Amino acid sequence: MAETCTGSRASEIFTTLEYGPVPESHACALAWLDTQDRLLGHYVNGKWLKPEHRSSVPCQDPVTGEELASCLQAQSEDVAAAVEAARASLENWSTLPGAFRAQHLTRLAKMIQKHQRLLWTLESLVTGRAIREIRDRDVPLAQQLLQYHAIQAHAQEEALAGWEPMGVIGLVLPPTFSFLEMMWRICPALAVGCTVVVLVPPASPTPLLLAQLAGELGQFPGILNVISGPAFLGFVLSSQPGVQKVAFCGAVEEGRALRRLLAGQGPELGLALGAESLLLLTEAADFDSAVEGVVDAAWSDRGGGGLRLLIQESVWDETMRRLQARMGRLRGGRGLDGAVDMGARGTAARDRAQHYVSEAQSQGAQVFQAGTVPSESPFFLPTLISDLPPACPCTQAEVPWPLVVASPFRTAREALALANGTPRGGSASVWSERLGQALELAYGLRMGTVWINAHGLRDPAVPTGGCKESGSSWHGGMDGLYEYLRPSGTPARLPYLSENLNYDTFGLAVPSTLPAGPETGPSPAPPYGLFVGGRFQAPGARSSRPIWDSHGKLHGYVAEGGAKDIRGAVEAAHQAAPGWVGQSPGARAALLWALAAALQRRESTLASRLERHGVELKVAKAEVELSVRRLRAWGARVQAQGCTLQVAELRGPVLRLREPLGVLAVVCPDEWPLLAFVSLLAPALAHGNTVVLVPSGACPIPALEVCQDVASLLPAGLVNVVTGDRDHLTRCLALHQDVQALWYFGSAQGSQFVEWASAGNLKPVWVNRGCPRAWDQEAEGAGPELGLRAARTKALWLPMGD
Amino acid sequence: MSAHQRGTELDLSWISKVQVNQPAVLRRAEQIQARRPVKKEWQAAWLLKAVTFIDLTTLSGDDTSSNVQRLCYKAKYPIREDLLKALNMHGKGITTAAVCVYPARVCDAVRALKAAGCDIPVASVATGFPAGQTHLKTRLEEIRLAVEAGATEIDVVINRTLVLTGQWEGSDFIKTSTGKETVNATFPVAIVMLRAIRDFFWKTGNKIGFKPAGGIRSAKDSLAWLSLIKEELGDEWLKPELFRIGASTLLADIERQIYHHVTGRYAAYHDLSMS
């Protein structure tokens, strides 16, 4: 009887040739949930933690709504317990030889291999993502990540000498994320000797399973702890004593809020925000392959977000036709079905998509939907939006999953302007069979990752990160390791919060200055004014501030810079940027060396200026000499930038490029008025940045002396020096939306303000938290840390084949 | 294949504009095979469909009328009757799409098929198969003789000397290769050919058929080929007029899989008749 039933079905399918369901059994996922009596707590110190009197949240199947388990919500004391466990295991774990940690990570990779079916069915069941993607891509990648980082741990003593693990790391993950996002971050952290507390959103069983697998290895139970709870616990976790770094990935606005909250708090903050990607399709592309790139990016459950698609106008019709035809063949459905392209991601994701579509439609955009999805509610059709008016709010907003927003461009130059014209700087792909054009576009895109004629490739050895509002943290490769390291001997980060700092008024007013008696400075006096755009200019406020020497006598006056002067300086720096970036490393080095020589010629003047500020002549001469050496050293280091990576299963190289940050603002410390100024200026210039500097407040004269040589040697606008009230200038720079990075060496309050204000454009900041720095020491004055901070990484994938 | 495509002016600018990115095509080829598994009843039905696309082929130097006859019988009865019955597919005329032989064996095949009382077409490879390195005159004569002997479909080996020097020819069907090369029907190559067929259809409205041949041996492979056609060209190409699989041993594996689907057991060698 059963056979005839099958038979009639078969004859029907024979005619229609339709696809059938290919359900993957999730019995083992349910069985695992049963071992926890369908009640998930937290996994801390190698044990399940299920405290009493906690509220719980149901973990539901996103498709059927069936309740799979209930998940306890952590409270502050649970977070504290997890951090305590991580702290307790830190000493042992971080002091182990790297080879031991390598072994442990390898064992975890094996453990994952043994339980991979459980891992992929559970992940697909609760997230709704297509199981094919998790099984064929995520789980193998998770194992590769562990293996890659085991090797890094093994080589750590040698390759990362001079660096030490930061300590306890807090990791905060967003509501819709793949467990891979966690793996990308815990692997490097554990490898270098940090211990981790992961805060996952309610109802995320997979990270708990991973923690259990790690815990069941027996040794080192406390190195990986997972707690689940509401988003606000992210702040609680960050402010636990001992947490040295918080890695946050999630939505841009949440990241911004956390950046503000954590100003002046202990931990460093690494942000990875947003999930939108970009695809640039030129007329010289293999269109069908590019269309597959769009599918990979937006409709295959690979990426987390939507896609912005830029199509060259001349091939708009042709590519749209192909894209729409391809969309018709996409299949959505339950993630556990092995033959679907796209799963469901729950009602929140669907509502976001719907909201964007309605908004776009109301602005007159064209919306095209195709493909097949089951008619039940949580699914959303693959959607292509075009003709979005440029002024519409949607155009600037992040494109949500599973939407693709297409717009035309005419020339490569316009494509770059459009692509770089959003606040996001995550990943992009360029599709062109013309090598020159593809490289030109790839180099011009301000993104963390660029693929040429491919989209969404990942590898543990390739750093992945971003710039602008996508946050500037890295995972993968060496860059991923440095995220969890600090130069050896750096003191632990403690909160330096000043409760009464008023962000609204900090540095707002500039104290007025009056004539203060006869000037006793040497003659000839250094040129008066702000050094902006290659020449000395009078300040906008047309007032001056007195500089006193070490005997309390009036040394002279420097210009009182203000908001308008900062604006002008930043503008000048932007104008100089393209020329400087375009210079070869050799040319940059030559100019730095020329500046070094000029400094050497000016030695006696500079030494006497320093002497007036109470520096012994011998020490002053040493400071000048050391400054000269710094310029030469960074000039030499420019030559060795970037490298080529070789990646498994990819024919062709991946380039790890080091690109300039853009306009880098530097607020120099009061101490070492010449040496600190040069030590900061040199790496910034060497890496192709243009700079706006605020020199030492007490002793700005040596910096202005150097500017005379800068004026004659370097292109105008490359270096701009603004004197004035440091708090006021810091405020202007920190709040400036078009300053790409800020280094601040000053007071604790200033540091806190800079951290808070950087949330505006999420510029990476480096602050000294009110602590002095040994600028005359090699490690602190010219160490690799400066080089790391002076540029950002871009991974450029170049698959080859004919 | 009665309605021949009328052809169009040869415009080489189409070809020169085509861009193919090899690594991307390789990735797509991998994806297609992984993303559309077909199981259970769907698998059985798809496999039966695959049977109807097969050009059941014997191209050996030692072919004689007896093994050609056996081949023709297998073409007429590709799947054991009781298995078809279990699937409710008996009496629906499931045969292979054609038999494919050397020109000299065409008359054997025609005779055998006539004896079996069926109208399965006989295809003949021709024109100096597999190298094609003979004179145009003998090549044309070979086609004429094969047609005379009763072949209704001719697999022509194009003159690759001309192709490699940029001088193309037209056809109703394009075939991945002769099946006798070191590398034959591969997915990446097929993807490029299928996209060319689609582009040609979009430009002219003419549908060109596609025949992968060589190396397609397992039932699983044949499913992948079907989904490849379905994904790249669509259901309208999934009919014997537009899609063929050139194969000799594939049919045996398909029959084995259907045996397993129906009975739940794996077949012994002697459970199924040879071709």
Side-chain angles (χ1 to χ4, degrees):
Chain A
M1 194 55 215
E3 275 179 2
T4 35
C5 181
T6 339
S8 63
R9 195 73 181 276
S11 81
E12 187 190 318
I13 302 165
F14 182 83
T15 330
T16 60
L17 263 196
E18 65 192 4
Y19 291 115
V22 189
E24 181 100 0
S25 161
H26 56 287
C28 63
L30 296 179
W32 178 75
L33 290 171
D34 284 337
T35 63
Q36 297 302 313
D37 300 321
R38 302 276 179 146
L39 177 70
L40 295 173
H42 319 290
Y43 199 84
V44 173
N45 208 16
K47 291 187 290 285
W48 284 96
L49 178 68
K50 293 182 183 175
E52 303 207 329
H53 313 299
R54 299 283 188 273
S55 60
S56 68
V57 172
C59 169
Q60 290 171 320
D61 182 325
V63 177
T64 62
E66 178 198 349
E67 184 169 331
L68 300 166
S70 54
C71 303
L72 293 179
Q73 298 275 72
Q75 287 183 0
S76 302
E77 51 261 52
D78 306 328
V79 176
V83 172
E84 191 43 49
R87 257 165 53 140
S89 53
L90 178 67
E91 197 185 328
N92 190 6
W93 179 248
S94 62
T95 52
L96 275 181
F100 277 67
R101 283 199 298 274
Q103 247 175 17
H104 194 75
L105 292 180
T106 314
R107 287 179 65 207
L108 182 53
K110 294 240 170 73
M111 193 72 160
I112 288 181
Q113 190 183 19
K114 288 171 195 162
H115 298 285
Q116 43 183 314
R117 172 173 292 275
L118 171 57
L119 194 58
W120 77 54
T121 45
L122 181 70
E123 172 78 353
S124 177
L125 176 66
V126 297
T127 63
R129 288 174 65 228
I131 194 158
R132 159 192 57 73
E133 196 62 25
I134 301 168
R135 181 191 56 210
D136 300 344
R137 207 175 121 94
D138 292 5
V139 172
L141 187 51
Q143 287 168 256
Q144 288 164 19
L145 277 165
L146 284 162
Q147 256 136 18
Y148 172 83
H149 287 96
I151 293 168
Q152 301 307 312
H154 195 92
Q156 187 179 357
E157 282 90 358
E158 215 176 301
L160 295 167
W163 297 85
E164 63 181 20
M166 280 182 170
V168 177
I169 308 296
L171 170 59
V172 183
L173 292 167
T176 48
F177 74 101
S178 145
F179 76 96
L180 257 187
E181 294 300 328
M182 171 172 142
M183 295 302 292
W184 275 110
R185 291 163 179 87
I186 63 168
C187 289
L190 292 176
V192 299
C194 295
T195 57
V196 187
V197 176
V198 188
L199 174 71
V200 296
S204 322
T206 325
L208 289 164
L209 169 63
L210 278 166
Q212 189 193 345
L213 291 178
E216 286 180 359
L217 293 175
Q219 288 168 299
F220 316 114
I223 58 170
L224 176 60
N225 308 279
V226 175
I227 47 178
S228 76
F232 75 86
L233 283 182
F235 181 63
V236 175
L237 170 61
S238 313
S239 45
Q240 291 295 318
V243 174
Q244 294 293 298
K245 166 146 193 167
V246 174
F248 174 89
C249 64
V252 177
E253 286 316 312
E254 287 168 33
R256 220 190 286 279
L258 191 62
R259 173 65 281 175
R260 292 202 173 106
L261 274 172
L262 286 190
Q265 297 287 345
E268 197 176 312
L269 180 60
L271 296 171
L273 307 175
E276 184 191 282
S277 196
L278 179 106
L279 191 146
L280 218 160
L281 200 166
T282 70
E283 62 186 2
D286 170 354
F287 305 131
D288 290 304
S289 292
V291 164
E292 293 305 326
V294 176
V295 173
D296 284 343
W299 301 316
S300 69
D301 274 357
R302 180 164 298 185
L307 180 76
R308 206 168 279 277
L309 172 61
L310 298 178
I311 302 177
Q312 193 148 21
E313 206 175 20
S314 53
V315 292
W316 173 269
D317 291 336
E318 189 166 353
T319 48
M320 287 299 261
R321 178 178 189 180
R322 281 164 209 265
L323 190 54
Q324 292 180 352
R326 180 70 180 90
M327 286 172 76
R329 303 221 162 87
L330 290 167
R331 303 184 74 232
R334 186 166 165 78
L336 284 165
D337 186 326
V340 302
D341 296 300
M342 249 170 72
R345 299 215 182 159
T347 45
R350 190 204 55 205
D351 293 346
R352 261 196 307 279
Q354 187 54 55
H355 177 77
Y356 191 100
V357 168
S358 320
E359 189 83 354
Q361 249 164 346
S362 73
Q363 302 283 332
Q366 296 291 319
V367 175
F368 176 85
Q369 293 185 314
T372 45
V373 297
S375 50
E376 303 99 272
S377 61
F379 296 99
F380 200 86
L381 277 166
T383 304
L384 174 64
I385 297 175
S386 53
D387 297 339
L388 201 57
C392 149
C394 286
T395 316
Q396 281 301 309
E398 186 174 334
V399 179
W401 171 91
L403 271 48
V404 172
V405 176
S407 27
F409 68 88
R410 290 169 300 169
T411 60
R413 181 190 286 263
E414 190 175 65
L416 282 180
L418 287 169
N420 291 333
T422 74
R424 286 165 292 279
S427 61
S429 63
V430 172
W431 294 78
S432 169
E433 294 302 308
R434 294 217 312 259
L435 180 65
Q437 182 190 48
L439 286 175
E440 171 85 19
L441 288 168
Y443 272 78
L445 284 168
R446 281 200 288 278
M447 298 278 172
T449 303
V450 179
W451 300 280
I452 289 183
N453 294 325
H455 199 105
L457 306 180
R458 304 286 293 269
D459 190 273
V462 179
T464 306
C467 57
K468 298 200 274 187
E469 290 193 1
S470 294
S472 32
S473 70
W474 293 89
H475 47 274
M478 291 305 278
D479 300 77
L481 297 175
Y482 286 122
E483 289 281 314
Y484 305 100
L485 291 167
R486 61 180 175 212
S488 301
T490 312
R493 295 175 69 105
L494 298 170
Y496 63 100
L497 183 71
S498 150
E499 294 286 355
N500 54 14
L501 174 64
N502 185 337
Y503 295 123
D504 293 337
T505 56
F506 174 86
L508 195 61
V510 182
S512 50
T513 47
L514 302 169
E519 293 182 50
T520 60
S523 70
Y528 170 83
L530 308 167
F531 185 69
V532 172
R535 58 194 183 86
F536 288 90
Q537 304 181 353
R542 295 290 190 271
S543 59
S544 308
R545 56 191 296 113
I547 301 299
W548 311 92
D549 66 15
S550 56
H551 304 296
K553 288 193 176 145
L554 182 67
H555 185 98
Y557 290 95
V558 294
E560 181 75 70
K564 284 194 176 147
D565 303 306
I566 290 292
R567 187 195 67 189
V570 172
E571 250 169 47
H574 271 294
Q575 275 169 13
W580 188 235
V581 175
Q583 296 270 12
S584 72
R588 272 187 232 157
L591 283 175
L592 285 177
W593 281 26
L595 190 59
L599 231 64
Q600 220 162 9
R601 284 193 293 274
R602 210 177 273 276
E603 186 190 7
S604 62
T605 324
L606 287 167
S608 77
R609 300 288 194 200
L610 290 168
E611 213 183 349
R612 275 296 295 272
H613 279 269
V615 184
E616 216 180 296
L617 183 63
K618 217 174 88 189
V619 181
K621 280 191 163 162
E623 184 172 348
V624 178
E625 198 184 321
L626 198 49
S627 303
V628 171
R629 282 225 301 274
R630 290 282 144 82
L631 283 166
R632 292 235 161 89
W634 283 108
R637 285 185 211 174
V638 188
Q639 305 276 10
Q641 286 299 307
C643 64
T644 308
L645 305 166
Q646 194 59 56
V647 162
E649 285 165 36
L650 179 87
R651 290 195 60 226
V654 180
L655 307 183
R656 174 186 176 264
L657 306 174
R658 295 286 287 163
E659 296 196 336
L661 300 161
V663 173
L664 171 58
V666 183
V667 180
C668 301
D670 264 343
E671 70 270 14
W672 296 103
L674 177 67
L675 179 61
F677 174 80
V678 173
S679 298
L680 290 163
L681 175 68
L685 290 182
H687 287 85
N689 301 289
T690 54
V691 282
V692 177
L693 295 114
V694 177
S696 161
C699 180
I701 309 285
L704 292 171
E705 291 279 359
V706 175
C707 286
Q708 296 180 64
D709 293 322
V710 171
S712 61
L713 291 170
L714 300 187
L718 190 55
V719 178
N720 305 277
V721 175
V722 181
T723 51
D725 182 76
R726 288 164 57 80
D727 285 353
H728 180 62
L729 297 176
T730 301
R731 181 185 183 89
C732 297
L733 287 168
L735 289 172
H736 200 300
Q737 290 284 102
D738 213 10
V739 167
Q740 274 75 40
L742 175 55
W743 295 351
Y744 177 85
F745 297 89
S747 64
Q749 283 208 343
S751 300
Q752 184 184 340
F753 179 84
V754 164
E755 289 195 319
W756 176 84
S758 72
N761 66 347
L762 290 167
K763 59 174 83 70
V765 293
W766 180 22
V767 299
N768 69 332
R769 309 145 64 80
C771 306
R773 204 176 159 86
W775 293 101
D776 55 335
Q777 300 298 310
E778 183 67 17
E780 297 203 349
E785 187 186 12
L786 283 104
L788 273 181
R789 291 188 185 268
R792 62 183 171 79
T793 301
K794 179 195 268 181
L796 176 53
W797 293 69
L798 292 163
M800 67 185 192
D802 176 40
Chain B
M1 273 191 285
S2 47
H4 294 283
Q5 76 103 347
R6 275 153 290 133
T8 169
E9 283 290 306
L10 183 62
D11 181 356
L12 285 175
S13 71
W14 290 4
I15 297 173
S16 61
K17 267 193 225 149
V18 171
Q19 302 283 1
V20 176
N21 186 272
Q22 191 235 20
V25 170
L26 291 181
R27 277 196 303 277
R28 171 71 175 146
E30 263 173 44
Q31 281 175 2
I32 287 187
Q33 294 170 79
R35 286 190 180 177
R36 292 288 184 266
V38 184
K39 302 283 181 203
K40 306 225 167 81
E41 301 95 298
W42 285 269
Q43 190 181 66
W46 277 54
L47 287 175
L48 288 180
K49 195 74 175 183
V51 168
T52 67
F53 296 139
I54 293 179
D55 278 359
L56 195 61
T57 306
T58 182
L59 292 172
S60 305
D62 57 359
D63 283 340
T64 62
S65 69
S66 70
N67 78 319
V68 168
Q69 196 181 357
R70 204 162 57 225
L71 186 82
C72 293
Y73 186 80
K74 191 68 185 173
K76 166 88 164 125
Y77 304 104
I79 306 288
R80 233 169 67 175
E81 190 68 10
D82 59 327
L83 300 177
L84 288 178
K85 221 171 230 165
L87 291 167
N88 205 15
M89 291 297 290
H90 58 292
K92 300 214 169 157
I94 289 187
T95 67
T96 66
V99 292
C100 180
V101 292
Y102 272 124
R105 298 273 73 81
V106 170
C107 56
D108 292 339
V110 171
R111 198 181 315 125
L113 288 169
K114 205 172 205 175
C118 70
D119 52 0
I120 300 176
V122 175
S124 170
V125 296
T127 65
F129 185 91
Q133 298 283 14
T134 54
H135 294 294
L136 182 62
K137 196 170 171 191
T138 55
R139 282 148 49 88
L140 292 173
E141 186 63 11
E142 209 182 334
I143 293 175
R144 205 180 53 76
L145 290 171
V147 171
E148 222 165 63
T152 51
E153 300 172 4
I154 305 290
D155 286 16
V156 178
V157 184
I158 55 170
N159 184 330
R160 276 168 282 180
T161 313
L162 291 179
V163 168
L164 292 173
T165 52
Q167 304 169 62
W168 289 86
E169 299 171 14
S171 68
D172 298 318
F173 246 78
I174 54 175
K175 194 169 163 179
T176 50
S177 69
T178 59
K180 299 266 180 200
E181 311 294 319
T182 41
V183 178
N184 290 291
T186 64
F187 267 61
V189 167
I191 287 171
V192 174
M193 293 175 82
L194 294 174
R195 287 173 177 171
I197 290 175
R198 184 206 48 203
D199 286 357
F200 188 75
F201 171 63
W202 279 356
K203 281 195 172 112
T204 66
N206 289 329
K207 289 181 181 170
I208 301 297
F210 177 68
K211 176 174 172 182
I216 304 171
R217 294 198 180 86
S218 71
K220 198 175 167 215
D221 284 350
S222 69
L223 292 176
W225 280 100
L226 258 62
S227 57
L228 174 68
I229 305 294
K230 194 175 163 77
E231 293 295 309
E232 289 288 330
L233 290 175
D235 289 344
E236 50 200 305
W237 254 266
L238 283 170
K239 48 187 178 190
E241 294 80 27
L242 288 169
F243 177 54
R244 296 289 178 85
I245 301 172
S248 45
T249 54
L250 169 65
L251 182 56
D253 193 53
I254 290 183
E255 201 178 4
R256 263 197 294 280
Q257 294 304 323
I258 289 178
Y259 180 96
H260 178 251
H261 174 75
V262 171
T263 66
R265 286 188 291 267
Y266 292 103
Y269 180 70
H270 56 77
D271 280 331
L272 303 166
S273 69
M274 63 188 289
S275 59

